[in-house]
Amino acid sequence: MRGTRDRPERLGYAVVALVVLSAWTLAACAPGGDSKSAPNASTDTSASAASPDTSGAGSEESGPVWIRAADLPPVEPMTPSVSADAPQRIVSLATGVGETLVALGVADRVVGRDETSDVPAIASVPVVTRAHNVSAEKVISLDPDLVIVDARTTPPEALDQIAASGATIVTIPEAWTLADMAPRTRAVAEAVGADPAGLLNALPTVPTASPAAGAPRVAFLYLRGTSAIYLLGGSGSGADALIAAAGGIDVGAEADYDPFVPLTAEAVAALDPDVLLVMTKGLESVNGVDGLVALPGVAQTTAGQQRRVIAVDDEVLLSFGPRTGALVDRLRQVLAEMVPTRGGGMAMSSSTAP
């Protein structure tokens, strides 16, 4: 069921399919319930879940396990070694790259950011995008000398306007796997004139072993309930790489699904995951676990029946930045606690690369 689409288009095709199916979706799904516009875009805040319980496994009584960005180790900036001609006014429009800029020690030079680059050190910096769509006027008003973009930064007309204003635009590679992190880190460091060695040494190890027998089976669901967007992650979604590194099996990838496909009752019930992995805002948008379980087919899964849900803050789940290693370690711990009879994960550690 894999396609040949380019990565930047992976979610776009799925959303088009959902628009075609929207009448069915609205009728079949419970009320309430981006996309990388793209996953990881934090644009839907109109619904909120009940106060989360972060104390333990996702039993019916305790609800989901929440992995908050604030619970992960903070991004520690390095002491930068910057050349005299390095850019001094940086606008970061590439998904989640603000975290890497902070770690490289150049947070004080960031004057604008996209909405996914939500890191305390640059939280006060103006946001100039909405769902990856750039406001050329806002960017130009910041008088940047460097604008960092990736393949998901749109529209091209806005980028043309920014380039015409005299700013240098650098396109960096996207990251959808742990192996993609090093090339992207190097590209960001080169663009801002910083040394990436410290960050490269701390990247999480790329898994080389298959999941252990009986590893937890996990489905990644991308949800934006207020927009009637319900997607199932497959091979290349980004979440599949994290699930594998944490010792689990991504059931969508195992079934050879495309990166994001419309969530159907038949598909999710047949895959029968042990655990559901979602983004925080996605879970809120379907009114919490009750709304999630009410989606077609979810209640028929082991994960739905046991209410085993892991909710990870949007800004860290698919950022593939400096906090990804800690996120993988936390996911491994939670999966082992949620599915103890299957826990144990992989025979290798995914701590940090030498």
Side-chain angles (χ1 to χ4, degrees), residues 75-81 100-107 185 189 194-201:
V75 179
E76 297 292 345
M78 302 184 308
T79 301
S81 175
T100 300
L101 293 172
V102 172
L104 287 170
V106 297
T185 300
D195 183 355
L199 278 189
L200 293 174
N201 289 337

Side-chain angles (χ1 to χ4, degrees), residues 227-311:
S227 302
I229 295 175
Y230 310 90
L231 303 178
L232 171 66
S235 181
S237 71
D240 59 328
L242 302 177
I243 291 167
I249 297 171
D250 184 301
V251 295
E254 182 184 49
D256 205 25
Y257 284 173
D258 284 325
F260 293 98
V261 299
L263 176 66
T264 66
E266 296 79 7
V268 70
L271 294 174
D272 190 24
D274 298 311
V275 178
L276 301 175
L277 175 64
V278 297
M279 291 181 176
T280 298
K281 287 185 172 60
L283 186 59
E284 292 173 349
S285 78
V286 295
N287 297 319
V289 175
D290 288 341
L292 175 58
V293 174
L295 294 178
V298 175
Q300 283 68 57
T301 66
T302 300
Q305 292 166 6
Q306 300 297 319
R307 300 170 71 88
R308 292 177 181 152
V309 179
I310 302 174

Side-chain angles (χ1 to χ4, degrees), residues 5-351:
R5 70 191 62 162
D6 291 336
R7 282 178 170 177
E9 299 173 339
R10 65 183 67 197
L11 186 73
Y13 283 107
V15 170
V16 169
L18 279 168
V19 170
V20 174
L21 295 172
S22 61
W24 174 89
T25 303
L26 290 171
C29 296
D34 110 273
S35 106
K36 231 173 162 187
S37 354
N40 216 34
S42 306
T43 60
D44 188 342
T45 59
S46 56
S48 42
S51 298
D53 184 332
T54 60
S55 58
S59 67
E60 185 167 353
E61 292 74 21
S62 66
V65 171
W66 298 69
I67 301 179
R68 300 291 193 183
D71 296 332
L72 300 175
V75 179
E76 297 292 345
M78 302 184 308
T79 301
S81 175
V82 180
S83 59
D85 59 349
Q88 297 301 308
R89 297 183 64 80
I90 302 167
V91 172
S92 177
L93 304 180
T95 304
V97 163
E99 185 174 310
T100 300
L101 293 172
V102 172
L104 287 170
V106 297
D108 60 334
R109 291 191 271 147
V110 178
V111 297
R113 63 181 178 90
D114 74 310
E115 74 271 34
T116 68
S117 294
D118 190 4
V119 192
I122 57 173
S124 62
V125 171
V127 174
V128 295
T129 65
R130 181 175 177 80
H132 303 282
N133 289 317
V134 179
S135 168
E137 293 76 13
K138 289 182 179 179
V139 173
I140 293 170
S141 71
L142 297 172
D143 191 27
D145 49 9
L146 172 66
V147 178
I148 300 174
V149 305
D150 62 20
R152 283 174 282 167
T153 309
T154 57
E157 296 81 9
L159 299 184
D160 290 342
Q161 292 180 50
I162 295 168
S165 74
T168 298
I169 297 180
V170 174
T171 302
I172 62 166
E174 294 183 283
W176 296 95
T177 70
L178 299 185
D180 296 335
M181 293 177 65
R184 186 168 74 157
T185 300
R186 291 191 187 97
V188 174
E190 181 179 356
V192 302
D195 183 355
L199 278 189
L200 293 174
N201 289 337
L203 293 181
T205 300
V206 178
T208 57
S210 299
R217 296 172 53 76
V218 184
F220 172 50
L221 304 183
Y222 183 77
L223 312 169
R224 286 297 183 263
T226 54
S227 302
I229 295 175
Y230 310 90
L231 303 178
L232 171 66
S235 181
S237 71
D240 59 328
L242 302 177
I243 291 167
I249 297 171
D250 184 301
V251 295
E254 182 184 49
D256 205 25
Y257 284 173
D258 284 325
F260 293 98
V261 299
L263 176 66
T264 66
E266 296 79 7
V268 70
L271 294 174
D272 190 24
D274 298 311
V275 178
L276 301 175
L277 175 64
V278 297
M279 291 181 176
T280 298
K281 287 185 172 60
L283 186 59
E284 292 173 349
S285 78
V286 295
N287 297 319
V289 175
D290 288 341
L292 175 58
V293 174
L295 294 178
V298 175
Q300 283 68 57
T301 66
T302 300
Q305 292 166 6
Q306 300 297 319
R307 300 170 71 88
R308 292 177 181 152
V309 179
I310 302 174
V312 182
D313 277 357
D314 297 45
E315 65 265 31
V316 293
L317 181 57
L318 297 179
S319 68
F320 288 99
R323 291 178 288 185
T324 295
L327 172 60
V328 168
D329 289 340
R330 179 63 179 140
L331 283 172
R332 181 185 299 106
Q333 176 188 359
V334 173
L335 287 176
E337 292 172 352
M338 278 190 162
V339 195
T341 58
R342 290 192 172 198
M346 299 166 62
M348 60 163 288
S349 167
S350 73
S351 53

